[in-house]
C-alpha cells in the first residue's frame, strides 16, 4: 500500500466508501426482510438498492474527481516542485493558486522554501567565492599546459584517462573523440607503454618510448612518469603543426577517477557515478522501420557532471532526399548532408564514443530503435543499458504531467536557444542538463542506484510505452 501513489490511494479510499455503503445497505435490507412478519416482497427493496447503488456511486465518483483535481494533484505538484527546488537547483516560484484548496499548506511550503533558499543563497555566495578562486587557478593551469608544446595525459592505475589538456585533445581527436575514463588502449597500441612502465623501477624518474596510434597515424615520441600508486602521467610530443590548431578546448579532468571502481555491476552503481552518453537523432520522419538518420548529437556525463568538449555532432547522409515536411521541423536540407558520412561510418564513431556507458535519450525507444536498425551489417552493437528521460520525468513528477522535452526543460528551468531546438546536438545538450537535474530529484525519492530505479522505469513504461531496456 505504501508503494502506491497518493492519487491511487485516494481512489481506493472512495472506492471502498462506495462498496462499503452498498454492502451495508444490502445487509440492512436482508435483516429487515428476514425479520418481517408476514414476509415482505424483496422486489421493491432490490430496486431501491440498485437505484441507491447507482446514485451513491455517481455521487462518490463526482466527489472523488473534485478531490483528485483540487487536492491530490496539487499535493503531487507541490511536492514535485519542492523536490526540484531542493535537489535539482531549480529556482522558480511555487504556484500558490494551483494549491488554493489546500488551506495553509501551500503558503507554509512557500515560506519554508524561501527561508531555505535564503540560507542556501548565503552558503552559495561563500561557495561561489571559493569556486571563483579555484576557477582562476584552473584557468591558469589550463593556459600553462596549453601553451606548452607537450601534450599531457594522466592515467589511473587501470590505464584510464583521468586528465588531458588541449594539446592531448588535439592528438586524441585524430584517432577518436577524446573522453574521460576511456582506456588509453582505445587510442594507442599499448605494448611500448607497458614496456616503458615496466622499466620505470630501474630508471627511477621517467622513461621515453614511442607511441603508435591505432589505425593510421605516424608514431609519436612520449615519456611516462610514475605517480606512485595513483597511476602514471604521459607527455607526448605532438606532430608538427598540432599546436596551431589547438583552439580553446578546456583542460578536462576528473580526479575522482583516480580511485578504484566501487563496483563493476551497473545495477549496484549509484546514479551519480554512472557514465552516461546522452544522444539525440534527427531523421527523415517518425518511423523506426522506414525512416533514416540525418543528424547525430551526443554528449557525455560522468560523475554527475556534463564533461566539457566531449561530444559528437555530425550530419549523416541518408542516401535519399529529405522530405520537405521533416525539413520544416529540423531545418536540415539535402545540401547539409550531401558530403556527410554515411550511416555505417557514423554508427562506428558513435558506438566507440558510447563504450561502457548508459545510453540516455528523450523518447528512447525511437532513437535506440533507429540505432539498432542502422547498425545491421556493421560492428556497432547497441546492447547498452538505456535510460529514457520521458520515463525519468514520469518517475519524478507523475504520469499526469506533460513529459515533452519542452515541458520538462520548462519545469527544470533549462533554456534551449531557438536556433538549437530540433538540432541533434542542441536537444542532446538540453536532455543532458535535464538528466543531471532529474537524478537529484529521483535520488531524493530513495532511488539511488540503477538497479533500484529500473523497476520504477518499467512500471512507468507499462503506462506509457514499451521500455527500451526490454
Amino acid at each position: 500500500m505504501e508503494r502506491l501513489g497518493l492519487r491511487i490511494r485516494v481512489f481506493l479510499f472512495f472506492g471502498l466508501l462506495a462498496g462499503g455503503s452498498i454492502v451495508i445497505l444490502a445487509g440492512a435490507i436482508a435483516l429487515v426482510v428476514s425479520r418481517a412478519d408476514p414476509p415482505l416482497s424483496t422486489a421493491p427493496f432490490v430496486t431501491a438498492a440498485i437505484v441507491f447503488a447507482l446514485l451513491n456511486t455517481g455521487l462518490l465518483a463526482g466527489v472523488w474527481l473534485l478531490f483528485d483535481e483540487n487536492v491530490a494533484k496539487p499535493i503531487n505538484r507541490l511536492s514535485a516542485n519542492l523536490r526540484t527546488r531542493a535537489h535539482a537547483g531549480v529556482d522558480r516560484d511555487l504556484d500558490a493558486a494551483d494549491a488554493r484548496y489546500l488551506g495553509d499548506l501551500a503558503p507554509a511550503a512557500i515560506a519554508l522554501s524561501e527561508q531555505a533558499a535564503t540560507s542556501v543563497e548565503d552558503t552559495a555566495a561563500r561557495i561561489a567565492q571559493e569556486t571563483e578562486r579555484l576557477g582562476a587557478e584552473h584557468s591558469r593551469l589550463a593556459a600553462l599546459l596549453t601553451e606548452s608544446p607537450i601534450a599531457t595525459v594522466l592515467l589511473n592505475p587501470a590505464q584510464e584517462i583521468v586528465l588531458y589538456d588541449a594539446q592531448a585533445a588535439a592528438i586524441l581527436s585524430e584517432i577518436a573523440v577524446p573522453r574521460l575514463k576511456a582506456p588509453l588502449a582505445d587510442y594507442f597500441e599499448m605494448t611500448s607503454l607497458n614496456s616503458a612502465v615496466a622499466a620505470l623501477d630501474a630508471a627511477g624518474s621517467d622513461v621515453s618510448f614511442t607511441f603508435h596510434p591505432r589505425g593510421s597515424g605516424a608514431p609519436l615520441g612520449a615519456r611516462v612518469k610514475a605517480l606512485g600508486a595513483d597511476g602514471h602521467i604521459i607527455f607526448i610530443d605532438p606532430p608538427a603543426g598540432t599546436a596551431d590548431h589547438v583552439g580553446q578546448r578546456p583542460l578536462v579532468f576528473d580526479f575522482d577517477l583516480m580511485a578504484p571502481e566501487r563496483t563493476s555491476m551497473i545495477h549496484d552503481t549509484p546514479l551519480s557515478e554512472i557514465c552516461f552518453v546522452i544522444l539525440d537523432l534527427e531523421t527523415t520522419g517518425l518511423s523506426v522501420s522506414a525512416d533514416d538518420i540525418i543528424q547525430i548529437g551526443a554528449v557525455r556525463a560522468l560523475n554527475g557532471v556534463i564533461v566539457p568538449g566531449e561530444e559528437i555532432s555530425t550530419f549523416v547522409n541518408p542516401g535519399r532526399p529529405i522530405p520537405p515536411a521533416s525539413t520544416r521541423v529540423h531545418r536540415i536540407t539535402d545540401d547539409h548532408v550531401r558530403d556527410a558520412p554515411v550511416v555505417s561510418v557514423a554508427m562506428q564513431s558513435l558506438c566507440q564514443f558510447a563504450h561502457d556507458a548508459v545510453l540516455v535519450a528523450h523518447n528512447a525507444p525511437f532513437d535506440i530503435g533507429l540505432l539498432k536498425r542502422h547498425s545491421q551489417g556493421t560492428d556497432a552493437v547497441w546492447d547498452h543499458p538505456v535510460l529514457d528521460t520521458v520515463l525519468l520525468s514520469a518517475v519524478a513528477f507523475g504520469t499526469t504531467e506533460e513529459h515533452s522535452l519542452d515541458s520538462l526543460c520548462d519545469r527544470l528551468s533549462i533554456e534551449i536557444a531557438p536556433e538549437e531546438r530540433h538540432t541533434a546536438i542542441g536537444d542532446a545538450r538540453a536532455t543532458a542538463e535535464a538528466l543531471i537535474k532529474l537524478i537529484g530529484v529521483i535520488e531524493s525519492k530513495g532511488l539511488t542506484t540503477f538497479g533500484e530505479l529500473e523497476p520504477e522505469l518499467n512500471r512507468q513504461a507499462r503506462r506509457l510505452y514499451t521500455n527500451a531496456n526490454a
Side-chain angles (χ1 to χ4, degrees):
M1 188 69 173
E2 293 180 357
R3 295 178 61 87
L4 297 177
L6 173 64
R7 296 179 63 220
I8 295 296
R9 280 181 280 178
V10 169
F11 174 78
L12 293 176
F13 172 77
F14 279 95
L16 182 62
L17 284 179
S21 60
I22 293 172
V23 170
I24 291 173
L25 176 62
I29 291 174
L31 180 64
V32 169
V33 171
S34 65
R35 294 190 175 186
D37 189 19
L40 300 175
S41 172
T42 59
F45 291 102
V46 171
T47 301
I50 293 173
V51 171
F52 172 82
L54 293 175
L55 293 176
N56 182 68
T57 301
L59 175 63
L60 288 176
V63 174
W64 167 72
L65 287 172
L66 289 172
F67 192 91
D68 184 63
E69 190 65 33
N70 297 292
V71 178
K73 283 184 179 180
I75 288 176
N76 280 346
R77 292 193 190 103
L78 184 61
S79 62
N81 288 336
L82 289 172
R83 285 185 186 277
T84 56
R85 287 175 68 90
H87 302 286
V90 176
D91 186 16
R92 60 186 303 175
D93 294 335
L94 298 176
D95 187 1
D98 190 48
R100 59 189 178 277
Y101 297 115
L102 300 183
D104 195 44
L105 178 60
I110 292 172
L112 180 62
S113 179
E114 290 175 349
Q115 183 181 20
T118 301
S119 300
V120 170
E121 287 174 1
D122 294 339
T123 304
R126 293 192 295 269
I127 293 175
Q129 292 177 349
E130 183 64 16
T131 301
E132 184 178 0
R133 183 185 67 80
L134 294 174
E137 293 181 358
H138 172 271
S139 298
R140 285 195 291 271
L141 176 60
L144 287 172
L145 289 175
T146 300
E147 291 172 4
S148 169
I150 303 298
T152 305
V153 179
L154 182 63
L155 302 179
N156 64 13
Q159 294 187 330
E160 297 171 334
I161 298 174
V162 173
L163 174 149
Y164 59 86
D165 63 1
Q167 297 280 12
I171 294 173
L172 296 174
S173 296
E174 295 296 321
I175 306 168
V177 179
R179 60 194 201 280
L180 291 178
K181 201 176 180 291
L184 194 63
D186 285 358
Y187 301 88
F188 296 98
E189 298 291 342
M190 299 297 287
T191 303
S192 58
L193 172 60
N194 292 335
S195 298
V197 169
L200 273 173
D201 290 337
S205 58
D206 56 52
V207 173
S208 298
F209 66 101
T210 300
F211 241 156
H212 295 274
R214 288 198 174 275
S216 60
L220 302 171
R223 290 180 296 118
V224 59
K225 184 177 180 63
L227 299 175
D230 292 329
H232 298 86
I233 187 166
I234 298 174
F235 304 100
I236 307 173
D237 298 324
T242 300
D244 299 331
H245 304 285
V246 167
Q248 299 299 315
R249 187 184 183 97
L251 176 69
V252 181
F253 63 90
D254 185 344
F255 291 124
D256 287 339
L257 298 176
M258 297 296 289
E261 290 287 334
R262 292 182 176 88
T263 175
S264 59
M265 300 297 293
I266 184 64
H267 284 73
D268 299 327
T269 303
L271 296 172
S272 57
E273 297 177 9
I274 292 175
C275 177
F276 296 104
V277 165
I278 305 95
L279 60 91
D280 184 75
L281 308 177
E282 298 300 331
T283 62
T284 57
L286 299 177
S287 171
V288 172
S289 60
D291 284 302
D292 295 303
I293 300 169
I294 57 176
Q295 191 180 38
I296 296 174
V299 301
R300 292 181 85 239
L302 184 62
N303 289 337
V305 177
I306 300 171
V307 184
E310 294 192 357
E311 60 183 37
I312 286 178
S313 179
T314 181
F315 290 113
V316 178
N317 191 332
R320 70 184 223 186
I322 300 173
S326 298
T327 297
R328 284 194 291 271
V329 175
H330 46 54
R331 306 177 296 279
I332 300 173
T333 66
D334 293 334
D335 289 339
H336 288 107
V337 303
R338 182 169 289 111
D339 298 323
V342 296
V343 69
S344 60
V345 174
M347 284 294 101
Q348 295 292 130
S349 178
L350 180 62
C351 190
Q352 184 180 40
F353 182 69
H355 180 67
D356 286 341
V358 173
L359 296 179
V360 182
H362 197 77
N363 189 17
F366 178 75
D367 296 85
I368 304 305
L370 279 167
L371 291 182
K372 290 181 177 180
R373 189 188 123 219
H374 285 290
S375 66
Q376 296 175 5
T378 73
D379 294 332
V381 178
W382 301 105
D383 56 359
H384 307 62
V386 173
L387 283 184
D388 186 344
T389 46
V390 171
L391 301 182
L392 287 175
S393 178
V395 172
F397 304 116
T399 55
T400 59
E401 298 296 330
E402 178 67 37
H403 301 298
S404 68
L405 183 58
D406 288 318
S407 297
L408 181 58
C409 288
D410 180 67
R411 192 176 299 125
L412 296 174
S413 296
I414 297 169
E415 293 186 6
I416 311 177
E419 64 273 14
E420 291 191 356
R421 184 67 175 102
H422 294 299
T423 68
I425 191 62
D427 287 356
R429 289 169 179 163
T431 304
E433 290 186 50
L435 170 70
I436 299 302
K437 292 187 175 185
L438 282 170
I439 285 176
V441 175
I442 287 170
E443 286 179 330
S444 73
K445 291 175 170 282
L447 305 171
T448 60
T449 67
F450 190 90
E452 291 171 343
L453 175 61
E454 195 168 35
E456 289 298 316
L457 293 176
N458 291 333
R459 187 165 66 90
Q460 299 298 339
R462 286 193 292 271
R463 298 179 179 180
L464 298 175
Y465 48 66
T466 303
N467 187 8
N469 283 316

